[in-house]
Amino acid sequence: MMEGVVVKLPSFPFLYPTVSPSSPNCRLGFRRFSAPLSAAVKEGSVSLGHSTRPDFPILHQKVNGSNLVYLDNAATSQKPTAVLKALQDYYETYNSNVHRGIHYLSAKATDEYELARKKVAAFINASDSTEIVFTRNATEAINLVAYSWGLSNLRPGNEIILSIAEHHSAIVPWQIVAKITGAILRFVSLDENEVPDVEELRGMISERTKLVVVHHVSNVLGSVLPIEDIVIWAHAVGAKVLVDACQSVPHMVVDVQGLDADFLVASSHKMCGPTGVGFLFGKSNLLLDMPPFLGGGEMISDVFLDHSTYAEPPSRFEAGTPAIGEAIGLGAAIDYLSGIGMQKIHDYEMELANYLYEKLCSVPNIRIYGPKPSDNIHRAALCSFNVENIHPTDLATFLDQQHGVAIRSGHHCAQPLHRHLGVNASARASLHFYNTREDVDEFIRSLDDTVSFFNSFK
Amino acid sequence: MSETLISIEPTREKQTKLVELASQSIPAATLPFSRSISFQKIPTKSPPPLQASSTQLQPMEELPPKLQEIIKLFQSVEEPKAKYEQLMFYGKNLNPLDTQFKTRENKVEGCVSQVWVRAYLDQDKNVFYQADSDSVLTKGLAALLVNGLSGRPVQEVLRISPDFAVLLGLQQSLTPSRNNGFLNMLKLMQRKALELLIEAEKGDGSSGNGQIANDNSEKPVENSTSDSKVDEDSGVGFSSSKNGEDSSSGLGSRGTRIKKKLEKELSPIELEVEDVSYQHAGHAGVRGSDGETHFNVRIVSKEFEGKSLVKRHRLIYGLLDEELQTGLHALSIVAKTPSEVEAK
């Protein structure tokens, strides 16, 4: 299934949709549209979901007496055997500490670890692997930028622009750093399509703006932001852009040079890699100017009693023994994903996203958050929703217990967003390329049963 | 010390209250008893190998009577879906909680849904609860606690260990996060009860221990069909020692009487009567008696067909009433029909 090297494609431009603001919440008859289908999704051939499922052993089990239907991929993805094997291989044959060792095992571990870094760089089209810093996860990567870049660059009165739909990990570190530096946080609200108001954002950018922090794909709304445009507007005033790509890197082609992002973060565990590792992409010139985040071994050059000198990036930001095996596992995940092809994955998931949205619309009294799909608006393959008069936690519990369907209920680390939407919690089903149409069918069937059960009780 | 006491349970309750209150850092001056007492808690079966999920359960008799009823009810409902319905039924019949009480202090932490609990005392210092939630399953859990705990003395409520949730059989039906909500609900209810009691006792200056005497004195121990162990309070002199294997070697006179009675009246196809009194040898309650105080009974009989768990146990207690009056302290019962046993 080798598709060759990942193709660079433009990110989706955000244009005003043809949908009028007064449209009902869910147009049942919206025109089914789909991006041009790549070969594997054509009629008659096996879908990507079916062809990749065998690679994921965890999917083939029963929970609570029913077959597992795993629809919580936005929380974490499953790992193919190739990744599991890479981890096992590492620990069984060449586990050793990296960078300073002389002996054979250590050299091999170092090689593989640095090769993983190169793979990450190539995967997102960074110009050099030194622009990739391995962290514990995306959250740590954002904290790194906040404490390192933020503390040394932000002055009182400087502004940081975020959207109210940001993940807590993209908000809280900046709240902390803003308090210390006297910078001000400003939040962009949602427009009538329930996506962050890009025009409002554009209007907020001024000479006081030093940083714009935005998600690429929203983990609640399923919307995609026009990062290229945002970067252009930000750079025009000398501001930097930090892109939270946790929900985009695993699902579509992401090209940091094409986006011209200054910082970009993602987590391994959401992209079929192991937990415990993530990365920060930072432009070379930015990283070179940044002071250390965590201090310790590996990130130093020389250590004296009264002072130390520091290593060059990326080592400067990688204190202590890293998650070596896990980074190598991430490399294996990238190999696996590249083997399929991110464009192919994206196309398949677009199909599935529309199918999910369409089927969910058929559930009575359902309210799906985020934009309605249309010619211009593409949704990610996830839907956060509420069913009238039924608490999402009740839905999720029953779906799990009676049908083996795994979805999430809660605020999905987006409390400000939920507050804006006027709800305490929502349910969320999120797909990945190893899900199938049958998964969606089973989900909808189970959801109907669940809703009937709770409604019959009123 | 025990010789001067009239009945067994009050001592244990007082001891438990002492430990409970002590663990909640109340100044010693307000404690009704200032001498330190140690006692043994009673395991009903030999300890299983240590697993992540094994918990030691407190004896049913220590739980408020209504809560025991609720537990038995849930135990008799086998199907998970039916358990949900039962839970939701409780929730539906819960008295509404006035909006003015849906305050921050009344909100249960750690709940994925919103839950509020309100508590107040009556003039006898029994605690009453009201609750509400936006999730029907959580409301059911809240209702379960409200119904099970309301109207009881504070000390009794404080003594409750949340492990009884296992007995409900809902633990598998509910995710850990919801179970944590359950735990937090109970904790909040206990904390509020204690706070109210302290307030009240400050008010009338008494040491407020009048309620202890009559609780659950005659309730025999009931064993659920799941493995259960007794809770071990911290700070109490009890070691979770090996309790030895089953030794049915030689039943004494009472054991024989029990066996004969059950054989005669219930014609069981299987009957095991095991004297486990030795496990309770150190227990204050049996000190001064001549042994033969605690038994495990496992009985399979057609007589149980069509009878709920509660009815089966009541039947057995009824038959053994004389023994219970004359020194039999507790029975741990497993009562099944022949078809239930075959169905395994």
Side-chain angles (χ1 to χ4, degrees):
Chain A
M1 221 187 312
M2 294 302 293
E3 281 260 322
V5 174
V6 163
V7 174
K8 174 193 163 174
L9 280 181
S11 59
F12 291 98
F14 182 94
L15 302 171
Y16 279 108
T18 51
V19 175
S20 72
S22 56
S23 307
N25 179 38
C26 203
R27 262 186 321 164
L28 281 174
F30 81 84
R31 187 167 70 88
R32 272 279 302 271
F33 73 100
S34 45
L37 297 178
S38 58
V41 195
K42 267 210 293 262
E43 295 285 2
S45 61
V46 181
S47 80
L48 191 58
H50 285 113
S51 61
T52 53
R53 266 182 77 87
D55 297 334
F56 296 85
I58 197 173
L59 297 175
H60 310 284
Q61 61 176 290
K62 279 193 189 288
V63 298
N64 300 318
S66 311
N67 288 331
L68 169 65
V69 180
Y70 183 76
L71 303 178
D72 195 17
N73 291 287
T76 197
S77 62
Q78 301 303 346
K79 328 297 168 197
T81 38
V83 169
L84 307 175
K85 198 168 172 305
L87 278 167
Q88 179 144 15
D89 225 28
Y90 168 73
Y91 283 109
E92 272 185 355
T93 65
Y94 61 98
N95 168 52
S96 196
N97 210 328
V98 295
H99 293 141
R100 294 270 188 267
I102 304 289
H103 55 83
Y104 173 78
L105 289 185
S106 163
K108 176 145 190 207
T110 304
D111 280 345
E112 294 296 324
Y113 180 72
E114 292 303 327
L115 180 59
R117 193 191 303 275
K118 291 197 172 66
K119 287 177 185 174
V120 174
F123 193 63
I124 59 171
N125 197 29
S127 60
D128 193 79
S129 66
T130 54
E131 291 182 318
I132 304 296
V133 177
F134 280 125
T135 59
R136 201 180 62 192
N137 48 29
T139 301
E140 187 177 86
I142 297 175
N143 276 277
L144 198 165
V145 178
Y147 281 95
S148 171
W149 181 91
L151 286 182
S152 55
N153 282 282
L154 293 172
R155 305 276 173 273
N158 286 166
E159 290 184 357
I160 304 169
I161 299 180
L162 310 93
S163 82
I164 58 167
E166 293 311 312
H167 189 284
H168 294 163
S169 295
I171 299 177
V172 179
W174 297 108
Q175 288 175 335
I176 295 174
V177 166
K179 201 162 180 191
I180 297 172
T181 59
I184 297 164
L185 300 187
R186 298 192 61 191
F187 290 88
V188 168
S189 187
L190 305 183
D191 66 14
E192 67 273 6
N193 295 304
E194 242 163 37
V195 295
D197 193 334
V198 180
E199 284 309 305
E200 187 190 348
L201 191 151
R202 185 178 194 173
M204 259 189 208
I205 293 177
S206 72
E207 73 278 1
R208 292 184 302 279
T209 312
K210 287 288 166 273
L211 181 70
V212 179
V213 179
V214 275
H215 59 269
H216 196 173
V217 172
S218 167
N219 71 323
V220 175
L221 304 169
S223 54
V224 184
L225 285 179
I227 301 295
E228 274 176 353
D229 294 339
I230 295 172
V231 168
I232 291 169
W233 302 329
H235 284 176
V237 299
K240 307 286 178 257
V241 179
L242 167 65
V243 180
D244 173 1
C246 286
Q247 298 294 340
S248 62
V249 169
H251 301 283
M252 58 195 261
V253 177
V254 173
D255 177 353
V256 293
Q257 289 190 73
L259 298 173
D260 201 22
D262 299 292
F263 298 108
L264 184 138
V265 302
S267 289
S268 155
H269 71 91
K270 292 198 161 112
M271 49 192 285
C272 298
T275 48
V277 68
F279 63 87
L280 164 71
F281 158 81
K283 283 185 179 167
S284 290
N285 59 309
L286 292 175
L287 292 181
L288 277 163
D289 278 346
M290 283 159 59
F293 172 40
L294 299 173
E298 301 275 0
M299 51 73 71
I300 44 87
S301 177
D302 295 302
V303 181
F304 302 93
L305 289 183
D306 59 346
H307 76 285
S308 294
T309 56
Y310 304 117
E312 294 298 294
S315 300
R316 188 187 299 172
F317 306 104
E318 296 182 358
T321 299
I324 306 165
E326 287 66 25
I328 294 171
L330 172 59
I334 287 175
D335 288 338
Y336 179 83
L337 293 173
S338 301
I340 302 170
M342 290 314 295
Q343 189 55 44
K344 191 160 158 186
I345 287 176
H346 179 67
D347 291 339
Y348 176 70
E349 288 187 11
M350 282 294 99
E351 271 279 296
L352 223 50
N354 296 327
Y355 189 61
L356 173 67
Y357 191 88
E358 193 180 299
K359 297 282 285 190
L360 263 182
C361 278
S362 69
V363 178
N365 297 321
I366 198 163
R367 160 87 158 98
I368 305 175
Y369 302 106
K372 290 175 281 299
S374 71
D375 291 344
N376 299 315
I377 300 185
H378 296 214
R379 283 186 63 109
L382 63 89
C383 286
S384 303
F385 61 93
N386 265 308
V387 177
E388 217 174 290
N389 292 324
I390 305 177
H391 198 281
T393 308
D394 290 334
L395 287 177
T397 305
F398 197 84
L399 279 169
D400 168 57
Q401 284 298 313
Q402 295 295 121
H403 297 285
V405 173
I407 65 168
R408 184 157 288 258
S409 161
H411 48 64
H412 316 303
C413 289
Q415 281 186 27
L417 177 60
H418 279 76
R419 214 167 281 126
H420 174 88
L421 294 172
V423 290
N424 282 310
S426 61
R428 180 186 69 188
S430 49
L431 312 174
H432 212 62
F433 62 87
Y434 43 77
N435 287 117
T436 61
R437 282 172 84 98
E438 288 74 16
D439 286 339
V440 177
D441 290 335
E442 181 55 36
F443 167 52
I444 298 299
R445 200 188 59 74
S446 307
L447 185 60
D448 281 334
D449 180 48
T450 305
V451 170
S452 305
F453 177 76
F454 283 107
N455 279 336
S456 70
F457 221 77
K458 303 248 167 250
Chain B
M1 169 204 66
S2 63
E3 290 79 17
T4 62
L5 291 173
I6 302 163
S7 73
I8 301 160
E9 268 69 20
T11 309
R12 193 138 50 93
E13 284 164 7
K14 284 173 185 165
Q15 292 161 355
T16 321
K17 180 191 177 189
L18 185 84
V19 172
E20 282 285 335
L21 290 177
S23 68
Q24 285 163 23
S25 317
I26 298 164
T30 66
L31 293 173
F33 301 93
S34 48
R35 23 183 195 173
S36 61
I37 308 160
S38 73
F39 65 97
Q40 280 188 339
K41 283 280 196 144
I42 310 137
T44 50
K45 290 214 171 89
S46 41
L50 210 59
Q51 303 153 2
S53 58
S54 68
T55 49
Q56 301 188 320
L57 295 178
Q58 126 192 79
M60 275 271 269
E61 63 187 335
E62 291 188 11
L63 298 173
K66 280 216 215 106
L67 190 61
Q68 295 186 39
E69 291 287 328
I70 293 173
I71 291 172
K72 288 171 207 164
L73 177 67
F74 272 91
Q75 283 174 337
S76 66
V77 175
E78 303 251 333
E79 213 228 317
K81 208 166 172 176
K83 280 195 206 266
Y84 280 131
E85 285 171 339
Q86 186 61 54
L87 196 63
M88 281 158 51
F89 178 75
Y90 271 112
K92 199 169 179 183
N93 292 328
L94 192 59
N95 283 329
L97 178 68
D98 210 68
T99 321
Q100 57 165 310
F101 296 116
K102 292 188 181 173
T103 61
R104 211 194 168 89
E105 301 76 44
N106 287 346
K107 201 163 187 196
V108 179
E109 293 299 314
C111 253
V112 189
S113 40
Q114 296 189 97
V115 189
W116 300 270
V117 171
R118 177 203 166 209
Y120 57 92
L121 296 182
D122 65 7
Q123 60 261 49
D124 297 322
K125 303 212 186 72
N126 296 315
V127 60
F128 286 84
Y129 294 103
Q130 285 181 316
D132 199 0
S133 171
D134 53 1
S135 147
V136 293
L137 293 178
T138 313
K139 192 167 179 182
L141 286 174
L144 200 151
L145 287 174
V146 165
N147 287 331
L149 270 54
S150 281
R152 302 309 297 168
V154 173
Q155 293 87 338
E156 191 180 278
V157 169
L158 291 179
R159 240 200 325 273
I160 300 170
S161 158
D163 302 331
F164 75 84
V166 179
L167 292 174
L168 292 167
L170 286 170
Q171 201 182 41
Q172 299 84 21
S173 305
L174 301 167
T175 63
S177 55
R178 191 187 291 279
N179 252 18
N180 278 340
F182 185 69
L183 186 76
N184 290 332
M185 254 189 267
L186 178 62
K187 279 201 179 128
L188 184 66
M189 289 164 91
Q190 288 175 323
R191 184 162 62 82
K192 284 185 176 290
L194 183 62
E195 281 166 6
L196 288 169
L197 184 68
I198 294 174
E199 274 294 316
E201 286 185 351
K202 251 190 243 164
D204 53 36
S206 70
S207 53
N209 61 350
Q211 291 92 320
I212 317 167
N214 301 319
D215 292 338
N216 305 320
S217 38
E218 301 304 293
K219 276 264 174 13
V221 171
E222 282 203 11
N223 197 3
S224 72
T225 50
S226 57
D227 264 351
S228 59
K229 283 210 51 99
V230 169
D231 197 7
E232 176 186 339
D233 276 343
S234 56
V236 174
F238 174 70
S239 59
S240 57
S241 54
K242 295 265 146 249
N243 291 305
E245 312 76 44
D246 293 334
S247 63
S248 45
S249 54
L251 288 173
S253 56
R254 171 167 293 141
T256 318
R257 283 198 301 277
I258 290 177
K259 204 162 181 194
K260 283 199 158 48
K261 196 67 178 279
L262 293 177
E263 273 166 354
K264 177 165 175 250
E265 301 293 335
L266 297 175
S267 312
I269 62 170
E270 280 176 49
L271 174 61
E272 280 169 64
V273 177
E274 183 196 346
D275 186 343
V276 293
S277 312
Y278 68 92
Q279 292 174 0
H280 310 265
H283 168 45
V286 306
R287 228 171 280 142
S289 72
D290 57 353
E292 294 221 85
T293 55
H294 294 69
F295 286 86
N296 289 343
V297 172
R298 178 189 147 81
I299 176 165
V300 182
S301 160
K302 275 182 115 178
E303 295 298 318
F304 296 133
E305 267 163 12
K307 293 196 173 66
S308 72
L309 200 74
V310 180
K311 284 212 170 80
R312 295 180 196 186
H313 287 213
R314 283 211 186 117
L315 177 59
I316 295 173
Y317 293 137
L319 293 174
L320 300 177
D321 190 54
E322 209 189 30
E323 302 298 332
L324 287 164
Q325 300 293 342
T326 56
L328 172 61
H329 186 64
L331 284 172
S332 172
I333 302 175
V334 173
K336 296 227 178 270
T337 66
S339 47
E340 283 168 1
V341 173
E342 263 158 66
K344 291 229 178 84

